[in-house]
Amino acid sequence: MLISIVAPCYNEEDVIELFHDQVQQVADRLLPLGHDMEFVYVDDGSRDRTLAALQRLADRDARVRYVSFSRNFGKEAALLAGLRHASGDCVVVMDADLQHPPELITRMVKLREDGYDQVIARRTRTGDRMTRTLTARLYYRIVNRLVDIELVDGVGDFRMLSRRVVDAVVNLSEYNRFSKGLFAWVGFPSTTFEYENAAREAGRSSWSFRGLLNYGLDGLLSFNNRPLRAALHLGMGLLVCAGLYTAWIVGAALVNGVQTPGYVTIITALTGLAGVQMIMLGVIGEYTGRIYYEVKRRPHFLVKATNVDRAKDLIP
Ligand code: UDP
Ligand code: MG
């Protein structure tokens, strides 16, 4: 079995060599069992010397392939590039910052041999800040009510995929890529095991609070149109309320005659409804924005330097 390791790297010059050494040790242990390994590193337009580090690795080790982007296209694009360039019978997707322990690959291989197409590593939340744990828990609670696929807390991109899963994911050509959801959408027999969360080895996480918020919204919006449906339901509910209130007001006017006061009611209704309308417009706008990006059919990334066949980058 040829195992491809796909790792997106953004400003990882401090850690990429360490990462490669550790994965290579795992490769050495898997070799006697008849498993070969190749490495596909994607430099996502790093601002530091990650590319140079990758080139050094490639000179030293013929199994290393690298693809370097013309600018930072984001982790999702890097993942896609890595998957396109991986030629293995199965692919392990993992972060380059050693937060995904390479030793677990052996375990994944065993489970893969049991016939699972996706072997998913799920991290525990030990060592995370309380607030982060709680928001995550709340988020998954809400999201799983709203989307069709099942998203699981702690499950990320660290997983082993069979060739048919990789082919399926690569063929999903959407521009807004939410890998977590794409993997879940693809399906196939999957199994999950847990591992203890590790701290970053060097460098720093590129997630800001805002980034996380937007990522969360992507998860909500990428997979169905239920938010649009919810807007419709809300609108209908409001219409019913308005009908009842009108009937009551008109009834009161008929019985008691017209009484002018009502300033508070008008202002609250006006501002409240305006807020609701803005949210609904926002939801519609989000979907329109997504359509806008999809119809352009721009490539997901542009390659600046690589040591592999370029043909694969030409696929739109
Ligand atoms: N990454 C990337 N492009 C980006 C941001 C991150 O390729 O724009 C890579 C990064 O090098 C790492 C992985 O994605 O290998 C996860 O990033 P990070 O550690 O910042 O995220 P976290 O572990 O905090 O979720
Ligand atoms: Mg990380």
Side-chain angles (χ1 to χ4, degrees):
M1 195 158 80
L2 175 65
I3 304 167
S4 305
I5 306 290
V6 167
C9 318
Y10 179 58
N11 296 343
E12 305 285 8
E13 66 167 341
D14 299 331
V15 72
I16 188 69
E17 276 190 42
L18 192 64
F19 172 82
H20 185 70
D21 285 345
Q22 292 206 9
V23 181
Q24 206 182 321
Q25 282 170 23
V26 177
D28 290 344
R29 266 179 275 141
L30 285 172
L31 198 57
L33 303 174
H35 303 302
D36 242 334
M37 216 179 252
E38 69 163 6
F39 306 89
V40 185
Y41 296 138
V42 184
D43 164 35
D44 184 14
S46 300
R47 289 169 194 280
D48 62 0
R49 288 182 300 271
T50 301
L51 174 59
L54 291 181
Q55 281 163 336
R56 268 202 310 280
L57 285 179
D59 289 341
R60 222 169 61 198
D61 187 339
R63 296 169 300 176
V64 173
R65 302 154 168 235
Y66 65 85
V67 178
S68 177
F69 288 176
S70 60
R71 64 168 172 86
N72 180 243
F73 280 92
K75 185 184 171 185
E76 302 290 342
L79 264 181
L80 176 67
L83 290 178
R84 275 193 195 161
H85 286 284
S87 55
D89 304 306
C90 63
V91 174
V92 177
V93 178
M94 58 197 298
D95 287 358
D97 57 7
L98 286 171
Q99 273 182 309
H100 296 161
E103 313 85 73
L104 295 178
I105 296 172
T106 349
R107 193 151 158 205
M108 289 177 162
V109 171
K110 281 205 195 84
L111 287 164
R112 170 79 191 101
E113 283 168 344
D114 290 344
Y116 292 106
D117 283 273
Q118 295 202 42
V119 181
I120 304 160
R122 174 171 187 256
R123 76 185 185 98
T124 60
R125 286 207 173 264
T126 37
D128 263 18
R129 256 179 299 154
M130 258 298 255
T131 44
R132 177 104 186 241
T133 313
L134 287 178
T135 21
R137 203 166 289 162
L138 187 71
Y139 172 72
Y140 284 100
R141 196 43 86 74
I142 296 170
V143 150
N144 278 322
R145 270 181 184 224
L146 290 174
V147 303
D148 307 324
I149 49 167
E150 208 203 338
L151 298 176
V152 184
D153 187 12
V155 162
D157 300 326
F158 188 25
R159 57 180 80 208
M160 177 178 266
L161 310 169
S162 68
R163 179 43 47 192
R164 54 180 181 170
V165 171
V166 174
D167 289 343
V169 170
V170 166
N171 279 325
L172 298 176
S173 61
E174 59 205 77
Y175 193 81
N176 287 290
R177 299 185 77 79
F178 184 72
S179 293
K180 226 185 217 196
L182 292 181
F183 291 140
W185 185 87
V186 167
F188 290 111
S190 310
T191 181
T192 307
F193 67 87
E194 288 210 343
Y195 70 97
E196 196 77 17
N197 184 33
R200 223 172 192 290
E201 203 60 43
R204 46 192 283 250
S205 168
S206 36
W207 285 105
S208 58
F209 173 72
R210 198 168 151 178
L212 275 178
L213 182 71
N214 285 330
Y215 185 71
L217 283 176
D218 275 342
L220 258 179
L221 295 169
S222 296
F223 277 90
N224 53 34
N225 58 3
R226 275 193 217 174
L228 284 175
R229 187 50 65 82
L232 199 62
H233 286 170
L234 187 60
M236 292 194 301
L238 282 172
L239 197 64
V240 172
C241 293
L244 292 175
Y245 188 59
T246 312
W248 186 58
I249 288 258
V250 170
L254 287 177
V255 176
N256 307 327
V258 177
Q259 285 163 343
T260 336
Y263 177 75
V264 178
T265 323
I266 290 176
I267 289 297
T268 22
L270 213 64
T271 47
L273 289 180
V276 171
Q277 280 177 352
M278 286 312 244
I279 291 178
M280 289 185 188
L281 266 182
V283 172
I284 298 169
E286 273 292 332
Y287 283 100
T288 321
R290 270 150 214 275
I291 298 169
Y292 171 73
Y293 278 108
E294 296 296 340
V295 294
K296 284 185 197 234
R297 299 199 61 79
R298 287 196 176 154
H300 295 86
F301 52 84
L302 293 174
V303 175
K304 173 176 71 182
T306 175
N307 64 347
V308 294
D309 180 17
R310 295 290 298 274
K312 288 181 184 155
D313 302 321
L314 301 175
I315 309 166

